[in-house]
Amino acid sequence: MSTGDGPDLVALVGSRIAHDLISPLGAIGNGVELLELTGLDTPEIGLIADSVASANARIRLFRIAFGAAHPGATVPAREIAALTAPTPGARVAVDWQVPGDVARGPAKLALLALMCCESAMPRGGRITVTASGDAWQVSADAPRLAPDPALFAALTDPDTPADITPAQVHFALIGPEARAQGRRLAAQACETALVLTF
């Protein structure tokens, strides 16, 4: 997504924040592993380890979803696997079915779509990501979905809702990003399923 003729400042800020946080989170994780190797394996250490693992996965997801997607850049399959792997306490399971390394542009859209689906899954569920040729699909299945009609309408409307919150910012970013990539974003929803395609 670009901002006029200048650089995409939102994406650059996202990339910078993620870059600066990944290293200290990794260092904390390494420190916890060293403590466990010394025999200090307590419930508190386990809680810290779980929290660091969850934070690492989330910041890596944010780096791709909110960061800069340069033409020709790819996301390695191992990185996708790491950021979509189950984390302790996660209420949403992700089934990423796109094999191999993926181009950064569609990966960014897929993760933004994944976040939109998560927002509609208050009781958790499963999100499946597939691709056929250049067409991608992100689908959510849950016992109960609660999509916000205004937010999901914003996916295909160039006008961002004025009252969008920080927790909903992915809804404001995915439509412009899809248009910048020359893709058409579509969404379908019912009580137990939600499908986003681009």
Side-chain angles (χ1 to χ4, degrees):
M1 185 179 72
S2 62
T3 54
D5 295 326
D8 185 350
L9 297 180
V10 172
L12 292 176
V13 168
S15 292
R16 174 62 190 265
I17 290 172
H19 176 272
D20 287 0
L21 290 178
I22 284 174
S23 291
L25 281 172
I28 295 169
N30 291 339
V32 170
E33 287 180 10
L34 290 173
L35 287 173
E36 290 173 335
L37 289 173
T38 64
L40 187 60
D41 191 6
T42 66
E44 293 81 6
I45 293 295
L47 180 62
I48 294 170
D50 290 348
S51 297
V52 170
S54 296
N56 259 317
R58 206 64 184 169
I59 200 71
R60 291 178 188 279
L61 185 150
F62 289 165
R63 183 173 67 84
I64 298 170
F66 297 143
H70 301 294
T74 60
V75 181
R78 68 181 182 282
E79 185 171 356
I80 294 289
L83 63 87
T84 58
T87 55
R91 57 186 176 78
V92 175
V94 178
D95 182 9
W96 185 278
Q97 297 185 2
V98 184
D101 299 350
V102 296
R104 186 68 176 261
K108 176 175 179 142
L109 283 175
L111 294 179
L112 287 169
L114 186 151
M115 294 173 70
C116 291
C117 289
E118 279 183 333
S119 297
M121 304 169 76
R123 296 183 184 173
R126 180 176 215 63
I127 297 174
T128 304
V129 181
T130 59
S132 177
D134 200 38
W136 285 66
Q137 177 174 294
V138 179
S139 57
D141 295 295
R144 185 177 74 85
L145 288 170
D148 183 312
L151 290 175
F152 277 87
L155 293 179
T156 53
D157 186 339
D159 296 324
T160 302
D163 58 350
I164 201 159
T165 68
Q168 302 163 339
V169 71
H170 38 280
F171 284 96
L173 295 174
I174 190 171
E177 181 62 38
R179 288 189 290 277
Q181 293 186 28
R183 293 174 174 269
R184 182 178 177 274
L185 183 65
Q188 296 178 319
C190 67
E191 286 186 4
T192 58
L194 177 64
V195 178
L196 278 69
T197 58
F198 55 87

Short mmCIF file of all heavy atoms in Angstrom, two decimals, residues 131-163:
data_model
loop_
_atom_site.label_atom_id
_atom_site.label_comp_id
_atom_site.label_asym_id
_atom_site.label_seq_id
_atom_site.Cartn_x
_atom_site.Cartn_y
_atom_site.Cartn_z
N ALA A 131 -4.34 -21.57 -1.65
CA ALA A 131 -4.11 -20.80 -2.88
C ALA A 131 -4.20 -21.74 -4.06
O ALA A 131 -3.74 -22.89 -3.99
CB ALA A 131 -2.76 -20.10 -2.85
N SER A 132 -4.81 -21.25 -5.12
CA SER A 132 -4.87 -21.99 -6.37
C SER A 132 -4.40 -21.05 -7.46
O SER A 132 -5.11 -20.10 -7.82
CB SER A 132 -6.30 -22.47 -6.64
OG SER A 132 -6.38 -23.14 -7.88
N GLY A 133 -3.20 -21.30 -7.97
CA GLY A 133 -2.62 -20.35 -8.90
C GLY A 133 -2.37 -19.03 -8.18
O GLY A 133 -1.72 -19.00 -7.13
N ASP A 134 -2.91 -17.96 -8.71
CA ASP A 134 -2.73 -16.64 -8.10
C ASP A 134 -3.90 -16.25 -7.21
O ASP A 134 -3.93 -15.16 -6.65
CB ASP A 134 -2.54 -15.59 -9.20
CG ASP A 134 -1.87 -14.32 -8.67
OD1 ASP A 134 -0.97 -14.44 -7.82
OD2 ASP A 134 -2.27 -13.22 -9.10
N ALA A 135 -4.89 -17.12 -7.08
CA ALA A 135 -6.09 -16.84 -6.28
C ALA A 135 -5.93 -17.42 -4.88
O ALA A 135 -5.64 -18.60 -4.72
CB ALA A 135 -7.32 -17.41 -6.96
N TRP A 136 -6.11 -16.57 -3.87
CA TRP A 136 -5.96 -16.98 -2.48
C TRP A 136 -7.31 -16.98 -1.78
O TRP A 136 -8.20 -16.19 -2.11
CB TRP A 136 -5.03 -16.02 -1.76
CG TRP A 136 -3.58 -16.20 -2.10
CD1 TRP A 136 -2.99 -15.98 -3.31
CD2 TRP A 136 -2.53 -16.61 -1.22
NE1 TRP A 136 -1.64 -16.23 -3.25
CE2 TRP A 136 -1.34 -16.62 -1.98
CE3 TRP A 136 -2.50 -16.97 0.11
CZ2 TRP A 136 -0.12 -16.97 -1.42
CZ3 TRP A 136 -1.27 -17.31 0.68
CH2 TRP A 136 -0.10 -17.32 -0.09
N GLN A 137 -7.43 -17.87 -0.78
CA GLN A 137 -8.64 -17.92 0.04
C GLN A 137 -8.26 -18.11 1.50
O GLN A 137 -7.43 -18.95 1.83
CB GLN A 137 -9.55 -19.06 -0.41
CG GLN A 137 -10.80 -19.21 0.45
CD GLN A 137 -11.74 -20.26 -0.12
OE1 GLN A 137 -12.29 -20.09 -1.20
NE2 GLN A 137 -11.92 -21.35 0.61
N VAL A 138 -8.86 -17.30 2.36
CA VAL A 138 -8.69 -17.43 3.81
C VAL A 138 -10.08 -17.67 4.38
O VAL A 138 -10.96 -16.82 4.26
CB VAL A 138 -8.05 -16.16 4.42
CG1 VAL A 138 -7.92 -16.31 5.93
CG2 VAL A 138 -6.70 -15.89 3.78
N SER A 139 -10.28 -18.84 4.97
CA SER A 139 -11.61 -19.19 5.47
C SER A 139 -11.56 -19.52 6.95
O SER A 139 -10.60 -20.10 7.44
CB SER A 139 -12.18 -20.38 4.68
OG SER A 139 -11.31 -21.50 4.75
N ALA A 140 -12.61 -19.11 7.65
CA ALA A 140 -12.70 -19.33 9.08
C ALA A 140 -13.92 -20.19 9.39
O ALA A 140 -15.01 -19.95 8.85
CB ALA A 140 -12.81 -17.99 9.81
N ASP A 141 -13.73 -21.18 10.23
CA ASP A 141 -14.82 -22.03 10.71
C ASP A 141 -14.82 -21.97 12.23
O ASP A 141 -13.76 -22.12 12.86
CB ASP A 141 -14.63 -23.49 10.26
CG ASP A 141 -14.70 -23.61 8.74
OD1 ASP A 141 -15.77 -23.35 8.19
OD2 ASP A 141 -13.67 -23.94 8.13
N ALA A 142 -15.99 -21.76 12.81
CA ALA A 142 -16.07 -21.62 14.26
C ALA A 142 -17.48 -22.00 14.72
O ALA A 142 -18.43 -21.94 13.93
CB ALA A 142 -15.76 -20.19 14.68
N PRO A 143 -17.61 -22.39 15.99
CA PRO A 143 -18.94 -22.67 16.51
C PRO A 143 -19.86 -21.45 16.39
O PRO A 143 -21.06 -21.58 16.16
CB PRO A 143 -18.69 -23.02 17.98
CG PRO A 143 -17.26 -23.41 18.04
CD PRO A 143 -16.56 -22.61 16.99
N ARG A 144 -19.26 -20.27 16.55
CA ARG A 144 -20.03 -19.05 16.40
C ARG A 144 -19.12 -17.95 15.90
O ARG A 144 -18.04 -17.74 16.42
CB ARG A 144 -20.65 -18.61 17.73
CG ARG A 144 -21.57 -17.40 17.60
CD ARG A 144 -22.21 -17.06 18.93
NE ARG A 144 -21.27 -16.44 19.86
CZ ARG A 144 -20.99 -15.13 19.88
NH1 ARG A 144 -21.55 -14.33 19.01
NH2 ARG A 144 -20.15 -14.65 20.78
N LEU A 145 -19.57 -17.27 14.86
CA LEU A 145 -18.86 -16.11 14.34
C LEU A 145 -19.63 -14.85 14.67
O LEU A 145 -20.87 -14.86 14.71
CB LEU A 145 -18.68 -16.22 12.82
CG LEU A 145 -17.69 -17.27 12.33
CD1 LEU A 145 -17.79 -17.43 10.83
CD2 LEU A 145 -16.27 -16.88 12.71
N ALA A 146 -18.90 -13.76 14.90
CA ALA A 146 -19.55 -12.49 15.21
C ALA A 146 -18.89 -11.38 14.39
O ALA A 146 -18.25 -10.48 14.94
CB ALA A 146 -19.45 -12.19 16.71
N PRO A 147 -19.02 -11.43 13.05
CA PRO A 147 -18.40 -10.39 12.23
C PRO A 147 -19.12 -9.05 12.39
O PRO A 147 -20.35 -9.01 12.40
CB PRO A 147 -18.55 -10.92 10.80
CG PRO A 147 -19.70 -11.87 10.86
CD PRO A 147 -19.70 -12.44 12.24
N ASP A 148 -18.36 -7.99 12.54
CA ASP A 148 -18.93 -6.65 12.63
C ASP A 148 -19.29 -6.20 11.21
O ASP A 148 -18.41 -6.06 10.36
CB ASP A 148 -17.90 -5.71 13.25
CG ASP A 148 -18.42 -4.30 13.45
OD1 ASP A 148 -19.02 -3.75 12.50
OD2 ASP A 148 -18.21 -3.74 14.53
N PRO A 149 -20.58 -5.98 10.92
CA PRO A 149 -20.98 -5.66 9.55
C PRO A 149 -20.26 -4.43 8.98
O PRO A 149 -19.86 -4.43 7.81
CB PRO A 149 -22.49 -5.40 9.67
CG PRO A 149 -22.90 -6.14 10.90
CD PRO A 149 -21.73 -6.07 11.83
N ALA A 150 -20.07 -3.40 9.80
CA ALA A 150 -19.42 -2.19 9.31
C ALA A 150 -17.96 -2.45 8.95
O ALA A 150 -17.46 -1.96 7.94
CB ALA A 150 -19.52 -1.08 10.35
N LEU A 151 -17.28 -3.24 9.77
CA LEU A 151 -15.87 -3.53 9.51
C LEU A 151 -15.71 -4.39 8.26
O LEU A 151 -14.82 -4.16 7.45
CB LEU A 151 -15.24 -4.22 10.71
CG LEU A 151 -15.03 -3.35 11.95
CD1 LEU A 151 -14.52 -4.18 13.11
CD2 LEU A 151 -14.07 -2.21 11.66
N PHE A 152 -16.57 -5.39 8.11
CA PHE A 152 -16.44 -6.25 6.94
C PHE A 152 -16.90 -5.54 5.68
O PHE A 152 -16.40 -5.83 4.59
CB PHE A 152 -17.17 -7.58 7.16
CG PHE A 152 -16.32 -8.55 7.93
CD1 PHE A 152 -16.31 -8.55 9.31
CD2 PHE A 152 -15.48 -9.43 7.27
CE1 PHE A 152 -15.51 -9.42 10.03
CE2 PHE A 152 -14.66 -10.30 7.96
CZ PHE A 152 -14.68 -10.30 9.34
N ALA A 153 -17.78 -4.57 5.80
CA ALA A 153 -18.13 -3.74 4.64
C ALA A 153 -16.94 -2.89 4.23
O ALA A 153 -16.74 -2.60 3.04
CB ALA A 153 -19.33 -2.86 4.97
N ALA A 154 -16.12 -2.51 5.21
CA ALA A 154 -14.94 -1.67 4.93
C ALA A 154 -13.88 -2.41 4.13
O ALA A 154 -13.00 -1.79 3.53
CB ALA A 154 -14.33 -1.16 6.24
N LEU A 155 -13.96 -3.74 4.09
CA LEU A 155 -12.96 -4.51 3.34
C LEU A 155 -12.98 -4.16 1.86
O LEU A 155 -11.95 -4.20 1.19
CB LEU A 155 -13.22 -6.01 3.51
CG LEU A 155 -13.00 -6.59 4.90
CD1 LEU A 155 -13.32 -8.07 4.93
CD2 LEU A 155 -11.58 -6.35 5.39
N THR A 156 -14.15 -3.86 1.33
CA THR A 156 -14.26 -3.56 -0.10
C THR A 156 -14.65 -2.11 -0.36
O THR A 156 -14.90 -1.74 -1.50
CB THR A 156 -15.29 -4.50 -0.75
OG1 THR A 156 -16.52 -4.42 -0.03
CG2 THR A 156 -14.80 -5.93 -0.73
N ASP A 157 -14.67 -1.29 0.70
CA ASP A 157 -15.04 0.12 0.57
C ASP A 157 -13.78 0.96 0.77
O ASP A 157 -13.09 0.81 1.77
CB ASP A 157 -16.09 0.48 1.62
CG ASP A 157 -16.64 1.88 1.46
OD1 ASP A 157 -15.97 2.72 0.82
OD2 ASP A 157 -17.73 2.15 1.98
N PRO A 158 -13.47 1.85 -0.17
CA PRO A 158 -12.24 2.65 -0.01
C PRO A 158 -12.28 3.62 1.16
O PRO A 158 -11.25 4.11 1.60
CB PRO A 158 -12.13 3.41 -1.33
CG PRO A 158 -13.48 3.37 -1.92
CD PRO A 158 -14.14 2.13 -1.43
N ASP A 159 -13.46 3.90 1.70
CA ASP A 159 -13.57 4.83 2.83
C ASP A 159 -13.48 4.07 4.15
O ASP A 159 -14.33 3.25 4.48
CB ASP A 159 -14.89 5.60 2.78
CG ASP A 159 -14.98 6.50 1.56
OD1 ASP A 159 -13.93 7.04 1.17
OD2 ASP A 159 -16.07 6.62 0.99
N THR A 160 -12.43 4.33 4.91
CA THR A 160 -12.23 3.68 6.20
C THR A 160 -13.21 4.25 7.22
O THR A 160 -13.39 5.46 7.30
CB THR A 160 -10.79 3.94 6.71
OG1 THR A 160 -9.88 3.45 5.73
CG2 THR A 160 -10.55 3.24 8.03
N PRO A 161 -13.85 3.39 8.03
CA PRO A 161 -14.73 3.91 9.08
C PRO A 161 -13.97 4.86 10.01
O PRO A 161 -12.84 4.58 10.40
CB PRO A 161 -15.17 2.65 9.84
CG PRO A 161 -14.97 1.53 8.86
CD PRO A 161 -13.81 1.93 8.00
N ALA A 162 -14.60 5.97 10.36
CA ALA A 162 -13.94 6.99 11.17
C ALA A 162 -13.66 6.51 12.59
O ALA A 162 -12.73 6.99 13.24
CB ALA A 162 -14.78 8.26 11.20
N ASP A 163 -14.47 5.57 13.09
CA ASP A 163 -14.33 5.15 14.48
C ASP A 163 -13.55 3.84 14.64
O ASP A 163 -13.70 3.13 15.62
CB ASP A 163 -15.71 5.00 15.11
CG ASP A 163 -16.59 4.00 14.37
OD1 ASP A 163 -16.21 3.58 13.26
OD2 ASP A 163 -17.66 3.66 14.91
#
